[in-house]
Amino acid sequence: MPTEGVTLSGARWRVGTKNRCSSGESQIFEYRRCKVAGDRISQVKGQRTMNAKHAFFIDMNFLELLTFSTALFYLTKEKRFMIMQELENVLYPIVVKINEYLSSYILIVLLIAVGLWYSVKTRFVQIRYFKDGIKKVFGNISLRGGKQQQGMSSFQALATAIAAQVGTGNIIGASGAILTGGPGAIFWMWVIAFFGMATIYAEATLAIKTRKVDKNGNILGGPVYYITEAFKGSFGKFLAGFFAVAIILALGFMGCMVQSNSIGSVFETAFGVPAWAIGIVLVVICAIIFLGGVQRLASVCEKIVPIMAAMFLACAAIILICRIKYIPATFGMIFRYAFKPQAIIGGAFGAALKAAISQGAKRGLFSNEAGMGSTPHAHAQANVDHPHDQGVVAMCGVFIDTFVVLTLNALVIISTLYTADGPLAECGAAAASTVITKSNLAQTAFGTVMGEGLGAAFVAICLFFFAFSTILSWNMFAKINVIYLFGKKNDKVCTTVYTIIALVFIFVGTLMSNDLVWELTDAFNYLMVIPNAMALFAMTKVVLSSLQEKDKK
């Protein structure tokens, strides 16, 4: 039974604690919500704390809920902000704790295990067929791939996948990894990416092998389809449903919030444009492309991705040339702090090494998405003669994302800020994070050579295109799963409702706390990995049989 009443803007909140709480109970006109608290979580105005082993539930009847919603709408801006801030203060430590466990144990084990498994089983396909993949990628580059009868061309599928991979994870994600895990975190991002190339080969191959064509001629493919092939019956349906819900939340909703949040914050820093104004512009442009379907999205991605990548790489190369005498020291720091991170992170060796590896692993996942189960949705659209052909193309996507774009960004940051004459030289991670954030670390790095204003503007423009293209791709990935879950009877109504909700999330993302949104996205990303990795292990024979067909030729 509730132990006390709290009055907030006219609504009665009945708060109580129990040793266990059930989220399955539901009654008409009753809203019941269960949340797990952190070690000691302060509630409204610090009046009450709660032990982590307990939970609290909130019961509101329909009239109370309506009263609360109306009162919240009429609150002043300052009071609404205060309420949202208090809510974030409660949620943030809970999500961080969950993510710490997932990223430090489950995520690292699954990612490395799947990558090692397929590297060994395929006899390191990422090395043997790397040259073949590069030929297929650069031999098929076209900014005008043309309208396909169905699906996409191989390059359009790759561009859509890279659009998802090359996003804020390459700029802000890498910055966060360096700030928290030190320069050595980049080494562990490389390791994850190397094994991830074998993982994504398997994902793309399975996506082609198990894809479906609906009654309208649209190609539907991705993990939900090879999960149900791997595990028959109700268990397979449960895993596929779990993955579908996770990816809709992780990419379709929360992930797009991360991208728009990053765009809004850097534009506010660089140009002084209010974040909400950027949110409106994003919503309008995205709505036009979303409503155009797969063909319009493919046409946009095949043009944006090569241009934005070339622009970023050219500028990064110029800065590295200006700082060329510090390049050896930069690589030295990456390798040295990968195995001796305590020198820059501080603390005991074991804890520092764990921080460096976990930061590299989780930011590597967010960057190249190998093993996460997102990019197979794009590769499933490819019109190719054999699944292997798109598998080797997919490997090159991870290479371009991590070993080219992300690495150049990391080299710029370390060579300008962490080397001998850099402002963060000999500065511990904890001290560095108090003076600079992951959102403006790259801007500061580029600004040391280009000038503060020009550097901030350049990164803001690059981030806009990176994050914008990612929003487009992630929306498509989540939409395929929305159709899988809800679109069997009327997919048009289903996708329209989803698109409207996604646009709302994109706008809201520009207004929310960067750290909380990022942590929530991490949490759902990690949950996606679990069913996807299980299916990848179970479908090993299918992947190997496809590879053996090519080996014989």
Side-chain angles (χ1 to χ4, degrees):
M1 294 294 292
T3 57
E4 69 173 284
V6 179
T7 302
L8 181 61
S9 305
R12 188 170 74 256
W13 293 57
R14 290 178 287 170
V15 182
T17 63
K18 293 185 178 182
N19 290 330
R20 301 178 63 184
C21 82
S22 169
S23 58
E25 300 175 5
S26 61
Q27 300 176 8
I28 299 175
F29 302 136
E30 181 179 31
Y31 175 73
R32 179 164 299 190
R33 195 173 183 185
C34 300
K35 286 191 177 297
V36 179
D39 289 334
R40 298 286 291 177
I41 298 176
S42 297
Q43 292 188 353
V44 179
K45 299 182 180 179
Q47 293 176 357
R48 189 168 178 268
T49 58
M50 182 179 296
N51 191 281
K53 295 180 180 179
H54 292 72
F56 69 85
F57 62 86
I58 300 170
D59 292 338
M60 303 178 73
N61 63 33
F62 182 76
L63 182 60
E64 290 171 331
L65 181 61
L66 182 62
T67 304
F68 171 72
S69 302
T70 305
L72 185 63
F73 179 80
Y74 284 105
L75 284 177
T76 63
K77 181 179 178 181
E78 290 75 14
K79 288 185 178 179
R80 284 200 302 268
F81 175 78
M82 185 175 67
I83 292 172
M84 292 300 295
Q85 193 64 48
E86 289 169 349
L87 181 62
E88 288 182 29
N89 290 340
V90 171
L91 289 177
Y92 184 73
I94 300 172
V95 179
V96 168
K97 195 68 178 177
I98 294 172
N99 285 349
E100 182 183 351
Y101 179 81
L102 289 172
S103 64
S104 299
Y105 303 101
I106 297 176
L107 177 68
I108 292 177
V109 171
L110 282 177
L111 285 177
I112 296 180
V114 175
L116 275 170
W117 175 261
Y118 273 105
S119 294
V120 173
K121 286 291 185 178
T122 61
R123 293 180 292 124
F124 289 90
V125 65
Q126 66 267 52
I127 296 175
R128 294 194 296 123
Y129 281 98
F130 179 73
K131 184 178 179 181
D132 185 41
I134 291 293
K135 284 182 179 179
K136 290 183 183 298
V137 170
F138 290 97
N140 294 324
I141 285 183
S142 172
L143 300 185
R144 295 179 61 85
K147 187 175 181 179
Q148 305 291 307
Q149 189 171 2
Q150 62 180 17
M152 307 177 183
S153 68
S154 179
F155 178 73
Q156 286 176 332
L158 175 66
T160 304
I162 291 179
Q165 293 166 315
V166 181
T168 57
N170 293 77
I171 296 179
I172 296 181
S175 301
I178 293 171
L179 268 179
T180 309
I186 301 302
F187 173 83
W188 298 110
M189 293 179 85
W190 291 341
V191 172
I192 291 293
F194 175 75
F195 292 116
M197 291 173 70
T199 302
I200 209 166
Y201 171 85
E203 289 181 306
T205 299
L206 291 174
I208 297 287
K209 296 278 284 186
T210 60
R211 64 186 177 182
K212 313 289 183 185
V213 179
D214 68 10
K215 59 185 178 182
N216 299 317
N218 299 315
I219 295 176
L220 301 173
V224 290
Y225 296 98
Y226 59 72
I227 287 172
T228 51
E229 287 290 326
F231 304 102
K232 303 293 183 181
S234 57
F235 182 64
K237 290 180 180 179
F238 167 77
L239 285 180
F242 180 87
F243 177 89
V245 171
I247 194 172
I248 291 168
L249 294 174
L251 303 189
F253 298 150
M254 296 295 180
C256 288
M257 290 178 73
V258 167
Q259 305 300 325
S260 62
N261 184 279
S262 300
I263 292 173
S265 64
V266 296
F267 261 76
E268 203 162 27
T269 301
F271 306 113
V273 181
W276 61 265
I278 297 298
I280 292 175
V281 173
L282 272 178
V283 166
V284 172
I285 298 174
C286 287
I288 294 171
I289 298 173
F290 291 167
L291 296 175
V294 171
Q295 297 294 333
R296 184 176 296 174
L297 184 144
S299 178
V300 171
C301 286
E302 71 177 348
K303 295 174 179 62
I304 287 181
V305 170
I307 293 174
M308 73 179 187
M311 180 176 67
F312 181 80
L313 297 180
C315 187
I318 291 172
I319 290 180
L320 291 178
I321 290 172
C322 295
R323 302 284 296 178
I324 194 166
K325 68 177 182 179
Y326 296 103
I327 298 302
T330 298
F331 278 101
M333 293 177 74
I334 291 174
F335 288 104
R336 182 169 68 254
Y337 292 132
F339 300 97
K340 294 183 178 180
Q342 73 275 17
I344 193 167
I345 298 178
F349 170 75
L353 184 61
K354 177 183 172 183
I357 295 175
S358 65
Q359 282 296 316
K362 69 180 183 179
R363 294 307 171 195
L365 168 66
F366 190 78
S367 174
N368 62 56
E369 302 188 17
M372 195 167 78
S374 56
T375 56
H377 299 91
H379 294 298
Q381 303 288 323
N383 294 316
V384 291
D385 297 328
H386 195 276
H388 168 86
D389 296 336
Q390 194 62 24
V392 296
V393 168
M395 292 190 316
C396 294
V398 173
F399 180 83
I400 292 169
D401 170 83
T402 303
F403 291 100
V404 179
V405 179
L406 183 144
T407 298
L408 281 176
N409 182 53
L411 292 177
V412 168
I413 291 173
I414 298 171
S415 66
T416 56
L417 301 181
Y418 283 86
T419 48
D421 65 341
L424 300 181
E426 305 300 328
C427 184
S433 61
T434 60
V435 247
I436 199 165
T437 68
K438 62 188 178 188
S439 295
N440 57 27
L441 185 66
Q443 291 176 319
T444 305
F446 279 88
T448 56
V449 175
M450 301 173 65
E452 183 179 348
L454 185 59
F458 173 76
V459 173
I461 293 170
C462 286
L463 190 62
F464 173 81
F465 284 108
F466 283 10
F468 170 66
S469 61
T470 298
I471 289 172
L472 300 182
S473 296
W474 281 1
N475 179 268
M476 186 194 82
F477 301 165
K479 186 182 294 182
I480 291 172
N481 289 272
V482 168
I483 294 172
Y484 172 80
L485 289 177
F486 310 110
K488 292 181 176 62
K489 291 184 178 180
N490 194 329
D491 59 341
K492 288 186 178 179
V493 173
C494 174
T495 55
T496 300
V497 172
Y498 160 73
T499 299
I500 293 171
I501 296 173
L503 291 172
V504 170
F505 270 81
I506 291 170
F507 177 74
V508 172
T510 61
L511 309 177
M512 283 193 65
S513 167
N514 194 331
D515 289 331
L516 176 60
V517 176
W518 199 281
E519 292 293 338
L520 286 170
T521 305
D522 281 346
F524 290 113
N525 281 341
Y526 302 157
L527 293 175
M528 287 167 54
V529 174
I530 299 171
N532 186 56
M534 291 172 64
L536 289 174
F537 279 122
M539 296 288 279
T540 301
K541 289 184 179 179
V542 177
V543 176
L544 295 182
S545 66
S546 177
L547 178 59
Q548 287 164 4
E549 290 174 8
K550 279 294 180 178
D551 283 341
K552 289 176 182 178
K553 295 180 180 179

